[in-house]
Amino acid sequence: MSLQRRLLSPIAWLALVLCLFAAPASAQSAYFFPAGGDFDPAVPTPQQFLGHEIGSRYTRHDQLVAYFNELARHSDKIRVEEIGRSYEGRPLLIATVTSAQNLQNLETLRRQHVTLADPAQPLSAAGNSPVVVWLGYSVHGNETSSGEAAMLTAYYLVANRSAETAQWLQQAVVLFDPAQNPDGRDRAASWHNAYASSPASADPADKEHVEPFPQGRTNHYFTDLNRDWLALTQQDTRPKIAYFHQWYPNVQIDFHEMGKDSTYYFEPSPASMHSPLIPASSYEFNKTLAKYHAQSLDALGSLYYTGENFDNFSPVYGSTYPDFHGAVGVTVEQASSRGRVQESVNGLLTFGFTIRNQVATGLGTVRGAVTERDGLLKLQKDFFQSALKQANQQPVKSFVFGDAADPGLTQRLLDLLLQHQITVQALSAPVTVDGQRFEPGSAYVVQAAQPQFRLVHSIFADTPPIKGDVFYGSTSYAIAPAYGIAFAASRSRIAGGERVASVPAANGGVAGGQAGYAYVFDWRDYNASRALYALQAKGLLTRAAFQPFTAATAQGEQSFGYGSIVVPVAGQPLAGAELLAAVDAVARSSGVHIQALSSGQSRGGIDLGSDSVKALRKPAVALVMGEGVSATEIGSAWFLLDQHLQLPASKIDPAQLGKITLDRYTTIVLAGGTYSGVDATAVAALKRWINAGGSLITYGTAARWAIEQKLSDEVLGPEEKEPEAARRAFGDQRDIAAIERVSGNILSADVDNTHPLGFGVPRRQLAVNKENGLSFQPSRNPFSTVVRIDEAPKVNGYLSERNRSRVAGAAWLVVSPQGQGNVVLFADDPAHRKYWHGTERLLLNAIFFGNQLNPAKPRG
């Protein structure tokens, strides 16, 4: 922050800002580019093109796109590509800025550059290829400065005619991702622009600064896209990753904002938050680049800090994924005005001021990357060569995964690996690892010794040992345990067959032709739930086997486990060939294998007319979302129902619970959040609905609320208690608090997979995510504790001994029967961040089998 700004009174500073907004384009350029310069008048400034001063309002995404295309229309130094579309149909862009000569030879330069990621190629293979800089903006849509800064930074590089800028563009390729989250950005733009006053209000309580649920941080499905780089669950993320692997940037900056009372943060991050998988040289280069960021902000007199927080531990973030590819990834965080001007402890914080800081850092990044080009290219080459050496020093030589009974989830994990450019081979011979059997045709091998070793380790292996520290996010993000798919780590190398180039096409369908008695399919396949709802949506009657059986099929005897779906021929609205066609169409579209049976008499286990083959109701689901509700948690359920089941859930506000008829819903989902605004009338309505047969699904703090409101008679586990008071150093309080918090861990648990909520889970051993300190005591009903954390749980991540002892043996999932209905209590979000498919199954089971969860009544 400049001395001038700190000395001005709030009124004088606001007057200065308003005068700036009213000033001509030259004054705006002087503010954002205080060093001045000669700009090509043929290239329009953002202000000239948009018709408003940058910082006077929030630029919509369509305007941002139009401006980048306008730059490309006026200059031969920029190329704009649409690489995908958001869920709401907005274009996702990459703009490439470099010299005109480089643009003409871009593919040649790209091919030279990517040799850096090939350990077999010498550094000289990269030749004189430019350094590659990736500038990523607006991954959080309501972090308002970065998208505006993207336009100004691109304008500067394209229009500035100085010798220095010409040198930058000759020696660098700058990739702009100007709006990683266009849906969230426009949600924020609509709010800020709708409630903008004239003159602007600096009151933090003014509506302009206080967005309602779900705010603009997340995308359409309320996904935090900054945590999706490894899981790749969103269509906003996948094309970006594909483009990343076309270039392998040397420097990547992710532009963010934080609270209004902060200043400016850039890396390096604390050494305690570094991954032991990443060479120290990568993190050391952060210090080198930081000099250029400091110089840029020093020139403005802006306050900043480094090295205190924000972890660099896992490749889930936009600033850490590059670290796992030999680049220097950097998070920058600017104090946010969340509107045009807002009071802060540092004085009046204006939108324009926040934008100017981001522009300065972006240009400083390009300056630093060009100056340090040789070191950056060598860093990336050494990184990939050291990956092979590091892999060979590890005890695990190969990972194997796959399950013949679950081709859907097997193919999904394979697809994820291929998107990350990980080498995968088909399993060529049967192998048993850690007691698990893997067969050719349904399993795959991933060798540890490959250029992407560090990413392979992040997906399959336990988090390396870490100390408790001030972690910004979770301490474990391993994907394979979260998928719930069969996988194992082998200390001896498993021979693989042919390298897999693409995911095999799904080959679902009906085997055995027209059924005389019923159509049956296994519930263990992750895609079985999609097939079930598609059948129900066609009006077909469906049933589920609550006991295993063996049936004679056209392909021989086949065993069907708990939850297998039975579609009887009798009583259906369709018959004969029409019924077969409908079932076969569902099987093909969902990739599920369905067997046609000619008899209801089984070769073993129950017959198909047994009372243990129970009728299912078509789910009608309400998702409660609104003020107080965790947007990311309820967004995961919405995404699951929309994108996987294609089930149109109703989205209702918490305030509606006591005002609308609940009878139309079979299931209501309450994600974590605060429900203090739900009044006694709504609670009474929920009780009546549950007692009449409704199934209320709750997670985390919503489960706590349900117990407190007597909707359930289950009992919470031991409360988190403060350690005994003792004198401690004031300066240690943040570190002590961080060590004792539950910060995202993978814990080992036992699941009752004979319970309807556990149907389809292949093994009793189950990994669960623990994001909070809440747990339950095992139910007094001996049949109602579905998932229980192990007495001595295996922990992937960091969990203090005190927290470990609190959750050991605690219930993680309990069913509480109430009248004809029930309350399902999850300790944590079972669909966490949209990639926890292993526990997501339990949520799907609660939706489909909700009317069958209460204890069986004795026969009369």
Side-chain angles (χ1 to χ4, degrees), residues 245-460:
H245 285 285
Q246 290 182 36
W247 274 104
Y248 294 106
N250 301 107
V251 174
Q252 185 158 324
I253 311 295
D254 208 18
F255 292 86
H256 289 268
E257 288 186 345
M258 50 186 169
K260 66 181 178 64
D261 293 325
S262 297
T263 57
Y264 198 99
Y265 167 84
F266 55 88
E267 297 184 17
S269 54
S272 59
M273 300 182 193
H274 294 171
S275 170
L277 294 172
I278 302 298
S281 56
S282 293
Y283 292 123
E284 283 298 312
F285 223 108
N286 257 312
K287 298 177 182 177
T288 300
L289 196 63
K291 295 185 300 183
Y292 299 92
H293 295 152
Q295 290 169 5
S296 298
L297 294 176
D298 284 343
L300 300 178
S302 294
L303 298 177
Y304 60 84
Y305 71 99
T306 67
E308 293 184 33
N309 51 6
F310 301 112
D311 64 70
N312 242 327
F313 190 73
S314 166
V316 300
Y317 301 109
S319 62
T320 49
Y321 192 83
D323 291 334
F324 281 72
H325 293 85
V328 178
V330 178
T331 292
V332 299
E333 296 266 358
Q334 164 66 54
S336 180
S337 64
R338 288 294 198 276
R340 291 179 297 164
V341 59
Q342 189 171 175
E343 296 168 3
S344 79
V345 298
N346 298 309
L348 290 176
L349 179 62
T350 69
F351 194 13
F353 177 81
T354 68
I355 296 166
R356 184 171 70 158
N357 282 344
Q358 301 284 41
V359 172
T361 303
L363 295 176
T365 297
V366 178
R367 177 185 291 110
V370 169
T371 306
E372 305 294 340
R373 171 190 173 276
D374 292 346
L376 287 166
L377 299 191
K378 184 177 185 302
L379 177 76
Q380 194 163 52
K381 172 55 65 178
D382 291 346
F383 178 92
F384 282 103
Q385 289 180 336
S386 70
L388 298 180
K389 180 179 179 180
Q390 189 173 0
N392 288 326
Q393 294 171 345
Q394 298 291 315
V396 172
K397 303 306 178 186
S398 303
F399 295 95
V400 59
F401 71 94
D403 190 336
D406 192 355
L409 209 49
T410 301
Q411 302 305 323
R412 186 172 288 212
L413 182 54
L414 172 63
D415 180 56
L416 177 74
L417 298 173
L418 296 181
Q419 288 185 72
H420 285 302
Q421 302 301 307
I422 291 171
T423 300
V424 183
Q425 298 169 284
L427 183 66
S428 57
V431 63
T432 299
V433 182
D434 291 340
Q436 296 186 84
R437 181 76 170 175
F438 299 91
E439 299 284 348
S442 61
Y444 299 90
V445 177
V446 178
Q447 307 297 352
Q450 60 172 291
Q452 287 286 52
F453 157 72
R454 296 176 176 110
L455 217 56
V456 169
H457 192 287
S458 300
I459 290 171
F460 285 101

Side-chain angles (χ1 to χ4, degrees), residues 5-292:
R5 179 174 174 234
R6 283 184 277 124
L7 293 178
L8 283 173
S9 70
I11 294 175
W13 178 250
L14 182 57
L16 178 63
V17 170
L18 294 177
C19 288
L20 175 65
F21 288 160
S26 58
Q28 280 246 300
S29 293
Y31 179 71
F32 290 115
F33 312 123
D38 176 23
F39 292 90
D40 184 350
V43 179
T45 67
Q47 177 186 347
Q48 289 169 335
F49 178 76
L50 298 170
H52 66 260
E53 297 86 354
I54 297 299
S56 67
R57 62 184 290 108
Y58 200 115
T59 305
R60 298 191 317 267
H61 179 260
D62 65 297
Q63 295 173 306
L64 186 151
V65 170
Y67 180 67
F68 270 87
N69 285 324
E70 184 73 359
L71 286 179
R73 195 168 71 86
H74 284 87
S75 175
D76 57 2
K77 301 173 186 175
I78 180 171
R79 177 182 300 172
V80 179
E81 300 172 70
E82 182 178 316
I83 62 171
R85 290 265 168 164
S86 72
Y87 285 105
E88 295 176 14
R90 294 180 176 87
L92 303 169
L93 300 185
I94 293 290
T96 303
V97 178
T98 188
S99 70
Q101 179 184 6
N102 285 347
L103 270 182
Q104 292 174 359
N105 299 292
L106 197 62
E107 180 58 20
T108 299
L109 295 175
R110 188 193 69 79
R111 289 179 181 275
Q112 285 181 326
H113 181 79
V114 298
T115 62
L116 294 170
D118 182 354
Q121 297 263 26
L123 178 60
S124 59
N128 63 347
S129 62
V131 67
V132 178
V133 178
W134 182 298
L135 302 178
Y137 301 88
S138 292
V139 71
H140 295 147
N142 63 354
E143 296 182 357
T144 50
S145 60
S146 68
E148 315 292 328
M151 292 186 288
L152 285 163
T153 307
Y155 166 74
Y156 184 96
L157 293 176
V158 167
N160 186 269
R161 296 190 287 199
S162 71
E164 181 185 45
T165 304
Q167 178 197 14
W168 292 354
L169 297 189
Q170 188 59 38
Q171 297 185 14
V173 171
V174 184
L175 304 174
F176 282 80
D177 189 345
Q180 301 177 66
N181 178 10
D183 295 346
R185 178 178 174 81
D186 269 3
R187 193 184 309 135
S190 296
W191 181 263
H192 290 306
N193 289 338
Y195 287 98
S197 301
S198 183
S201 172
D203 179 1
D206 184 78
K207 266 187 174 292
E208 182 186 1
H209 309 303
V210 186
E211 293 175 88
F213 176 94
Q215 304 182 349
R217 177 182 177 88
T218 55
N219 78 339
H220 175 76
Y221 286 111
F222 310 156
T223 308
D224 186 336
L225 295 176
N226 192 41
R227 288 151 176 81
D228 197 44
W229 284 72
L230 187 62
L232 303 185
T233 67
Q234 301 297 285
Q235 72 181 38
D236 311 76
T237 307
R238 291 189 287 270
K240 176 172 61 180
I241 292 294
Y243 209 94
F244 176 96
H245 285 285
Q246 290 182 36
W247 274 104
Y248 294 106
N250 301 107
V251 174
Q252 185 158 324
I253 311 295
D254 208 18
F255 292 86
H256 289 268
E257 288 186 345
M258 50 186 169
K260 66 181 178 64
D261 293 325
S262 297
T263 57
Y264 198 99
Y265 167 84
F266 55 88
E267 297 184 17
S269 54
S272 59
M273 300 182 193
H274 294 171
S275 170
L277 294 172
I278 302 298
S281 56
S282 293
Y283 292 123
E284 283 298 312
F285 223 108
N286 257 312
K287 298 177 182 177
T288 300
L289 196 63
K291 295 185 300 183
Y292 299 92

